[in-house]
Amino acid sequence: MCGIVGYIGYEQAGPFLLEGLQTLEYRGYDSAGVCLNDGSELIVKKAKGKLKVLRELTNEGNDLKGTVGIGHTRWATHGEPSDVNAHPHLSESGRFAVVHNGIIENYQQLKDSLTAKGIEFRSKTDTEVIAQLIEYYYKGDLVDTIIKVLGRLDGSYALGVISQENPDEIIAVRKESPLIIGLGENENYLASDVTAILARTRTIYRLENDEIAILSRDGVKIINTDKDPVEKQTETVDWDVNAAKKGGYEHFMFKEIMEQPKAISDTIAPRIRDGRVVLDEIGLSAEELKKFNKINILACGSAYHVGVVAKYIFEKMLRIPVEADLASEFRYRDPIINDKTLTIVISQSGETADTKEAMKEAQRRGSHVISVVNVVGSAIAAESDDVIYTWAGPEIAVATTKAYSTQLAVIYLMALYFGDMLGTIVPDEYKALVNELEQLPEKIEAVLENKERIQYLASKFFNSRDVFFIGRNIDYALSLEGSLKLKEISYIHSEAYAAGELKHGTISLIEEGTPVIALATHEELIGKIVSNIEEVKTRGANVMCIACDTHKELEGIGETVFIPKVCDMLLPSLAVIPLQLFAYYVASLKGCDIDQPRNLAKSVTVE
Ligand code: F6R
């Protein structure tokens, strides 16, 4: 969603602010802006639409004067996307400027009370109340003022504040929304996301709730809301700077699809030692594990789809009931969960508001939480009882691919690790599965090599209005992801259906030429899915089928794409590749904005 960047140093801040905002584009936004202190006043430039509008307006930032500044990409919540609603927001006299990620829940009361005092608001945003409150309370000390203002705010925030009177400071503070301070030489940076400063520094502070950072050119001071100094350790970010660049590919999404063998290998390899899965991150003994009578999986979107795959795998291999729950639903339905429930929370960003809140709800009810997270140090990682990181590296495209795949890889590792501890997997099966898991990256390479075939099929289907995805068991779980990938980036309506459910309603939508993508990889149910394919074909469907190369008889059932045969548990990792590529090529043929689909944000930090 929204992104923050800030700079204080001896260089002109404009070009860096624009560069930083560009690296944050992937988060999803609909307007952007910057504010610099030019030595005598605060100068704001902001514009609705893509960053290119702001770049043109400011000559790539070169027309902006000042060595201290803040910038923002906004994803509209309160007030439509417009120039005036874009951040930064100034106080009435223009002496204070604020950028803000998050939501101020009591903004309307605050606005009403300030309006009653004669203060005039320019925008419809919740953020403007912060700038106006700062001016209202200001008596000469900006930090004191901000502390006072924080006491009046309900909700979540990451804030960057600069003032006209003090061209030598940026003040930053956060609550429930991430904020990072980057340390340079004679310059320091502010960012909501590490990718914005990766090209300049690897040394960061990660602010915790209610910590206030005072950035100057020569240092950063961190205090709490009582103004006591906070001792913090710096962290070194080891993400490769090139990982956040396109590296010759046209789109991040395609690059990230192609990176999957490496991402999976990075996630699996360090956790398999001498033929055994070792998850040192999990602090549960076999006795503690045996005490759980249920597993509860919480996530949103694609991460939830991983949870649905996990339900099939865990129930089969661990013989424990598993519930995969949409995080946004879980917390409002008085869930039945206690200390006998093991909760697994899945999130690429580690900041998804619904997932984070659902996790807290599970913890409040006594459940032990293991999180599966990609972004190191994110809120979910920090607040869960144990965290297993997916080593996917930065994922920039809004539509997840490599994070989804590495989350699946962690599910396989957990199934083997827990199965071994619980004694539900026999040694021979365990050995064979570990062996196959180690070969997974190579098999994915082989599927990626077949990309031209998928490109050809995309050219046959890209004009469709509706597409149906069908499958049974794990293939159904995967069809949910295939359908989401297609609709989110190509804007083609699609539905995922458990193939056995078709006859209970959906089949009435199948008519001459309706595309149906049938997943037919699950060995035990091949006969059943073939019958479902025949049913839709009889009604005129145009079928594309994904099957294992051990079932060559499916060659003529439709336009069939073969993947190498692996054990059932690992099939989703191979079968998802043609689905990702299909969505990508269809969106590309339709000329869609693949990396930043309309209305979507990478990290959904509001409910
Ligand atoms: C879809 C997609 C989203 C995310 C969802 C959860 O391609 O990326 O559905 O999976 O918003 O995000 P995280 O994993 O960051 O919690």
Side-chain angles (χ1 to χ4, degrees):
M1 293 192 130
C2 307
I4 289 177
V5 63
Y7 173 88
I8 182 159
Y10 292 95
E11 283 178 18
Q12 291 299 313
F16 170 74
L17 292 177
L18 271 287
E19 261 167 51
L21 290 180
Q22 191 168 355
T23 64
L24 295 176
E25 276 194 294
Y26 79 96
R27 297 175 64 91
Y29 70 105
D30 37 49
S31 59
V34 289
C35 176
L36 286 86
N37 187 325
D38 73 356
S40 58
E41 56 178 338
L42 297 180
I43 306 293
V44 174
K45 295 281 176 206
K46 45 191 194 174
K48 179 183 165 185
K50 289 291 179 193
L51 201 56
K52 101 174 195 313
V53 186
L54 185 67
R55 284 212 301 262
E56 280 165 21
L57 194 69
T58 61
N59 180 24
E60 305 291 332
N62 291 309
D63 288 352
L64 298 162
K65 268 183 60 197
T67 56
V68 54
I70 49 180
H72 193 262
T73 45
R74 171 175 189 254
W75 191 85
T77 55
H78 298 68
E80 74 285 357
S82 68
D83 291 358
V84 75
N85 287 335
H87 299 209
H89 286 283
L90 289 176
S91 61
E92 197 175 34
S93 71
R95 286 156 66 207
F96 302 96
V98 174
V99 286
H100 167 219
N101 286 358
I103 286 188
I104 304 304
E105 284 157 10
N106 59 338
Y107 90 100
Q108 194 59 52
Q109 290 116 280
L110 295 170
K111 188 170 179 172
D112 291 347
S113 91
L114 290 168
T115 308
K117 292 179 171 65
I119 294 169
E120 275 186 33
F121 280 75
R122 299 180 188 91
S123 76
K124 295 208 166 62
T125 64
D126 53 342
T127 303
E128 193 181 345
V129 297
I130 305 172
Q132 303 292 17
L133 277 174
I134 292 175
E135 181 157 304
Y136 179 72
Y137 284 125
Y138 186 70
K139 298 247 171 350
D141 183 323
L142 187 54
V143 173
D144 281 346
T145 309
I146 288 174
I147 292 172
K148 197 158 186 180
V149 170
L150 297 182
R152 300 216 49 198
L153 304 179
D154 291 340
S156 59
Y157 46 80
L159 298 175
V161 182
I162 57 173
S163 80
Q164 180 182 295
E165 274 123 83
N166 193 349
D168 301 317
E169 265 178 15
I170 302 178
I171 314 287
V173 59
R174 65 151 259 176
K175 186 178 157 206
E176 305 297 346
S177 186
L179 203 53
I180 285 159
I181 311 296
L183 305 177
E185 279 201 14
N186 299 323
E187 54 187 18
N188 293 301
Y189 315 92
L190 175 67
S192 52
D193 183 325
V194 79
T195 47
I197 53 177
L198 213 52
R200 296 285 187 116
T201 182
R202 299 312 182 87
T203 312
I204 63 160
Y205 286 127
R206 221 176 271 282
L207 285 190
E208 300 293 332
N209 281 347
D210 297 321
E211 285 177 350
I212 301 170
I214 304 159
L215 288 77
S216 60
R217 292 181 176 76
D218 307 320
V220 174
K221 201 165 121 195
I222 299 178
I223 57 172
N224 61 23
T225 46
D226 292 326
K227 293 185 85 175
D228 299 323
V230 176
E231 285 304 317
K232 277 187 90 73
Q233 297 295 322
T234 58
E235 274 177 50
T236 307
V237 180
D238 58 7
W239 275 359
D240 177 2
V241 65
N242 293 317
K245 295 191 177 149
K246 280 192 196 151
Y249 289 98
E250 199 179 339
H251 298 104
F252 279 111
M253 183 178 175
F254 192 70
K255 175 175 177 252
E256 287 160 6
I257 290 174
M258 300 308 282
E259 281 172 352
Q260 290 180 103
K262 177 173 182 320
I264 290 175
S265 171
D266 288 351
T267 301
I268 292 173
R271 289 162 172 144
I272 299 181
R273 293 181 216 146
D274 301 325
R276 304 212 71 75
V277 174
V278 183
L279 290 179
D280 291 331
E281 303 95 324
I282 299 182
L284 291 171
S285 64
E287 281 59 47
E288 286 168 319
L289 188 64
K290 283 179 187 150
K291 155 188 123 205
F292 297 120
N293 57 24
K294 181 176 148 192
I295 297 178
N296 176 43
I297 303 178
L298 301 174
C300 297
S302 293
Y304 164 74
H305 296 158
V306 172
V308 182
V309 175
K311 174 180 166 67
Y312 286 101
I313 293 177
F314 287 162
E315 287 192 339
K316 183 153 192 214
M317 290 176 64
L318 309 180
R319 308 308 301 152
I320 297 179
V322 179
E323 208 168 339
D325 227 321
L326 290 164
S328 53
E329 287 294 311
F330 171 82
R331 47 195 284 226
Y332 296 117
R333 65 169 174 78
D334 197 5
I336 301 168
I337 171 172
N338 53 36
D339 61 352
K340 296 218 165 34
T341 312
L342 174 64
T343 295
I344 299 173
V345 167
I346 307 173
S347 175
Q348 185 283 130
S349 62
E351 300 290 349
T352 302
D354 283 319
T355 311
K356 193 167 69 178
E357 291 309 316
M359 174 179 84
K360 288 186 188 163
E361 185 60 40
Q363 283 173 322
R364 266 193 293 276
R365 291 171 188 246
S367 182
H368 184 96
V369 174
I370 301 175
S371 66
V372 179
V373 173
N374 194 42
V375 178
V376 174
S378 54
I380 290 174
E383 289 167 36
S384 53
D385 298 297
D386 302 314
V387 51
I388 305 180
Y389 284 112
T390 49
W391 297 118
E395 192 178 61
I396 307 295
V398 164
T400 183
T401 51
K402 62 176 179 170
Y404 173 90
S405 285
T406 53
Q407 287 162 355
L408 278 182
V410 169
I411 294 302
Y412 307 147
L413 289 168
M414 283 171 120
L416 287 163
Y417 183 72
F418 289 152
D420 189 28
M421 278 169 112
L422 295 171
T424 52
I425 306 182
V426 294
D428 283 352
E429 189 191 4
Y430 180 88
K431 200 169 156 201
L433 287 173
V434 172
N435 195 16
E436 282 211 62
L437 183 54
E438 285 182 299
Q439 291 171 26
L440 192 59
E442 261 171 64
K443 299 260 168 76
I444 294 178
E445 285 295 358
V447 182
L448 286 168
E449 273 166 28
N450 201 14
K451 56 184 176 310
E452 276 76 24
R453 166 108 177 107
I454 313 291
Q455 192 170 17
Y456 160 72
L457 294 176
S459 71
K460 291 189 74 169
F461 287 92
F462 83 100
N463 267 327
S464 312
R465 199 192 54 189
D466 307 290
V467 175
F468 291 85
F469 288 75
I470 59 170
R472 286 171 173 262
N473 194 280
I474 274 185
D475 281 337
Y476 163 61
L478 190 58
S479 69
L480 294 169
E481 178 60 7
S483 170
L484 177 61
K485 280 287 86 78
L486 182 68
K487 67 187 136 199
E488 68 183 332
I489 62 167
S490 75
Y491 314 140
I492 292 177
H493 166 252
S494 74
E495 299 275 350
Y497 260 84
E501 272 295 294
L502 279 179
K503 289 196 281 292
H504 301 287
T506 320
I507 205 158
S508 64
L509 294 169
I510 306 293
E511 52 189 23
E512 200 56 42
T514 305
V516 173
I517 300 186
L519 296 163
T521 70
H522 191 64
E523 190 63 45
E524 280 171 32
L525 294 168
I526 293 290
K528 302 273 178 210
I529 186 77
V530 166
S531 303
N532 298 132
I533 294 173
E534 294 301 347
E535 284 160 10
V536 293
K537 276 175 64 176
T538 310
R539 283 149 185 94
N542 238 337
V543 171
M544 173 174 149
C545 174
I546 316 282
C548 291
D549 56 10
T550 43
H551 283 281
K552 288 286 188 212
E553 74 280 6
L554 297 182
E555 176 94 62
I557 200 159
E559 293 281 9
T560 303
V561 175
F562 288 107
I563 58 171
K565 174 74 187 150
V566 284
C567 63
D568 277 351
M569 174 177 92
L570 302 181
L571 278 169
S573 290
L574 299 189
V576 77
I577 305 289
L579 302 182
Q580 295 169 341
L581 287 168
F582 181 76
Y584 173 81
Y585 286 126
V586 167
S588 169
L589 286 164
K590 290 189 72 191
C592 299
D593 187 350
I594 294 182
D595 286 337
Q596 291 160 41
R598 68 179 178 221
N599 302 338
L600 291 179
K602 181 69 185 162
S603 168
V604 184
T605 50
V606 297
E607 256 191 77

